[in-house]
Amino acid sequence: MSQRVTRSQAGYTPKKPENPGFVETPGRRRSQRRKSISAEDAETTGFIKRSDVVSSPEKPLNGSLANGNGHANGYTNGHANGSANGHPKTEATSSGLEVEAAKNFPPKDKGGLHEFGGALGMSAMMIGFPALMYYMWIGATFYDGKFPKPSGSQSYSDFFEHMWNLVKTEAYPTNEAWQIYWFFGLTQMAFYMLMPGVYRKGKALPHLGGKQLDYYCSAMWSFYSSIVIMLTLHLTGVFRLYTLIDKFGHIMTVAIISGFLCSAIAYISARVRGATVRMTDNVIVDFFLGSELNPRLFGILDFKMFLEVRIPWFILFFLSLGTCLKQYEQYGFVSGEAGEHLIITTWDMYYEKLGFMLIFWNMAGVPLSYCHCTLYVANHHPSEYTWPTWFIVLLILAYSFMYYIWDTTNSQKNQFRQEERGVVDERTTFPYFKYGRIANPKTITTKHGNKILADGWYGKARKIHYTCDLFFAVSWGLITGFNSPFPWFYSVFFAGMIIHRAMRDIARCRELYGEAWIEYEKQVPYLFIPGVF
C-alpha cells in the first residue's frame, strides 16, 4: 500500500502519516550527508546529471524485484530526483530492459534526423508557427475574425508593413507583459513544490536499469488555490483578470520569446552537464527534439510535467475566466457560450525529450493558439454567435459525458500501470469517478511479460480517449459558430495530430508487442468509437 509523504520524508522509506486521509504539505528538506553523488548534485545545482544517477534497480519494499512485465514493482527507496537511499543491487538488469534501453534510449540515435522533415522541416516549424500565431492574432483582433489580406489597391509590401507595425505596436513585449507572464509562471513553480500533493512512480526507465523516478503531484491544490487568488486579485482591483485579453498580443510575444530562451537554456544545460540521450549530432534536430529526458529543479520540480500540465491549461482557463468577467462588466451577463497525476506514465513523460517542440508548444503554442474560441467570444457581442438555449444545454450534457469517459479512461490506464508497480490506492481528487479503477482487469500478456489492458474503456475501443480529445476540440470551435476560421484552428490542427499520433501508436505497438497486440485488435476491433469505428 502506498503512502502519501511529505517532501522532507522523500529521501527515506515512507512512513505512514498520522492522518492517512489527509495529504500533507511538502516540508523543508533537512540537510543530510549522503553517499549518493546525484543527491549532492541536486542539492548544489538543482539539476540531476544523468551519468550520476544510480542505474541499477533498487530493491522494492515488498522484496519482489519485478511483477513479470519488466518493470520494477514497488517503491524506489530514494528522493524524487531518483537518487538512491539504499545500496544498489549488483544483479544484472533483465535482458528485456537492456533491449529496450538499446532501442529507445541509446546515447546516439540517427532516427530523429527523419522526423518532421528533418532539420529543414524543423527549422520551418520554428519560424512558421510563431508567424502563424501572429497572423491569427491579427486576424482575430484587427480584421473582425477574418483572414488578413491586402485591401483594395493595397500592395503586398504595404500589407506586410502594416502587419509588422501591428506587431511592433500592439504586441511589443512590454515590461508589464513580462511581469504578468513570469510572475504567473514562477508562482506556479512555487505551488508545484510547496502545495499539498502526493508522490507517484513513473514508468521504469530501461536506460537507468529499470529505475522509476518519483513525481510530485500537486496540481489539484495549485489549480484551485490559483482560482481563489486570481478572483481575489480581480475583485479587489489589484489585477483585473481580463487584462490577459486586453494585453494578449504583448503577452503572446513574451511567451514566444520565453519559449525560445528556455529551449536554448535546456539544450545548453543538458550538453554542459552531460545529461544528453538519443542525440543525432545535428544541432537543429537536437535543439528541436531535445537533449535531456527528465530535467529537474531542486530534485522535485520535473520541468516536463510542469510545462505539460501547469502553464498551457492554466492559462487557457484564466483566459476563459477573464472573458466571462469582461462580459459581465460590459453586458451585465455572461453568455452561455463562455461558460496531473494521470500523465506520469504517458509516452511524453517516458520517451519524449524536453526540447523546443515541448517547451515552446507548452509555453506559447498551446495556451495562445488553442484559445481563439475565447478571443472570438471576448471580441464580439453575444448576438453574433448566440446559439439556442436547448443547444447549449445539449452541448453541456454531451461535453460532461465525454469528460466522464475521458477522465475515467485515463484514470483506468494510469491506475493499471501504477498498480503494476505496487501503488494500490486511488487518488480521489475532485472531480472523482469510481469507474476510474478496474478491479482485476482483463489483460493480454506479451512474449516479454508486459501486459496490455483490455478492459474498461480500453475493452470497448483502443483509442477512445482520442475521441474525447477531438470532441472537446470541435466543441470549442462549434460554440463560436462559423463566422471566423480562427476558433476552428484548434479543432483542425488537433484532428490531424490525433490521427497521426494514433497511426504512429498502432505501428509502434504492433512492433513492440507483436502477436499480443494483434490479439488485442481482434478482441477490441474498434479504434475510436465502440461499435462504430
Side-chain angles (χ1 to χ4, degrees), residues 309-330:
V309 175
R310 310 299 176 97
I311 297 300
W313 304 109
F314 282 28
I315 290 178
L316 281 169
F317 175 82
F318 287 117
L319 283 169
S320 298
L321 183 57
T323 296
C324 293
L325 295 170
K326 184 175 183 178
Q327 281 194 338
Y328 186 79
E329 286 197 12
Q330 286 183 332

Side-chain angles (χ1 to χ4, degrees), residues 412-430:
Q412 288 171 6
K413 175 178 63 176
N414 180 74
Q415 193 69 29
F416 169 69
R417 288 175 175 170
Q418 292 289 345
E419 289 183 6
E420 281 189 309
R421 295 159 176 79
V423 179
V424 295
D425 66 331
E426 297 179 68
R427 189 181 183 198
T428 54
T429 56
F430 177 82

Side-chain angles (χ1 to χ4, degrees), residues 336-350:
E337 290 78 4
E340 162 174 82
H341 69 291
L342 300 182
I343 77 162
I344 291 174
T345 57
T346 62
W347 183 258
D348 282 357
M349 299 300 297
Y350 170 70

Side-chain angles (χ1 to χ4, degrees), residues 23-222:
V23 180
E24 300 180 31
T25 304
R28 187 175 184 86
R29 185 172 58 199
R30 295 189 298 269
S31 175
Q32 298 287 341
R33 294 184 59 86
R34 297 171 182 261
K35 296 181 180 180
S36 170
I37 297 176
S38 59
E40 294 172 1
D41 286 350
E43 289 286 350
T44 57
T45 68
F47 292 90
I48 310 164
K49 187 175 180 181
R50 175 108 15 234
S51 59
D52 291 338
V53 178
V54 178
S55 58
S56 299
E58 300 174 40
K59 185 177 181 180
L61 296 182
N62 61 6
S64 173
L65 176 64
N67 65 356
N69 67 349
H71 300 295
N73 184 22
Y75 292 99
T76 305
N77 192 23
H79 190 261
N81 64 3
S83 58
N85 189 36
H87 299 287
K89 293 182 71 67
T90 57
E91 292 86 346
T93 58
S94 67
S95 59
L97 287 173
E98 292 176 346
V99 171
E100 192 169 353
K103 180 178 180 180
N104 289 331
F105 302 97
K108 303 292 183 181
D109 181 12
K110 300 298 182 181
L113 294 172
H114 308 292
E115 295 187 39
F116 302 103
L120 184 61
M122 294 176 192
S123 298
M125 292 174 68
M126 287 190 285
I127 297 172
F129 200 80
L132 177 62
M133 292 174 66
Y134 281 116
Y135 180 81
M136 293 195 299
W137 164 71
I138 290 174
T141 306
F142 303 102
Y143 284 78
D144 196 33
K146 304 298 190 296
F147 287 120
K149 59 184 179 180
S151 59
S153 59
Q154 187 181 32
S155 65
Y156 276 98
S157 61
D158 291 339
F159 170 70
F160 286 117
E161 183 179 356
H162 171 64
M163 297 276 282
W164 175 238
N165 285 331
L166 287 175
V167 173
K168 289 193 299 182
T169 57
E170 302 299 326
Y172 184 80
T174 62
N175 181 52
E176 180 186 17
W178 281 102
Q179 291 184 41
I180 291 173
Y181 186 85
W182 277 101
F183 183 81
F184 175 79
L186 293 174
T187 299
Q188 292 305 320
M189 290 176 69
F191 282 1
Y192 182 115
M193 295 182 285
L194 301 176
M195 283 289 180
V198 297
Y199 280 100
R200 286 292 184 265
K201 295 292 181 185
K203 294 186 67 174
L205 297 173
H207 66 301
L208 296 182
K211 178 176 288 296
Q212 298 170 257
L213 298 181
D214 289 301
Y215 289 86
Y216 186 67
C217 306
S218 59
M220 181 191 73
W221 278 97
S222 299

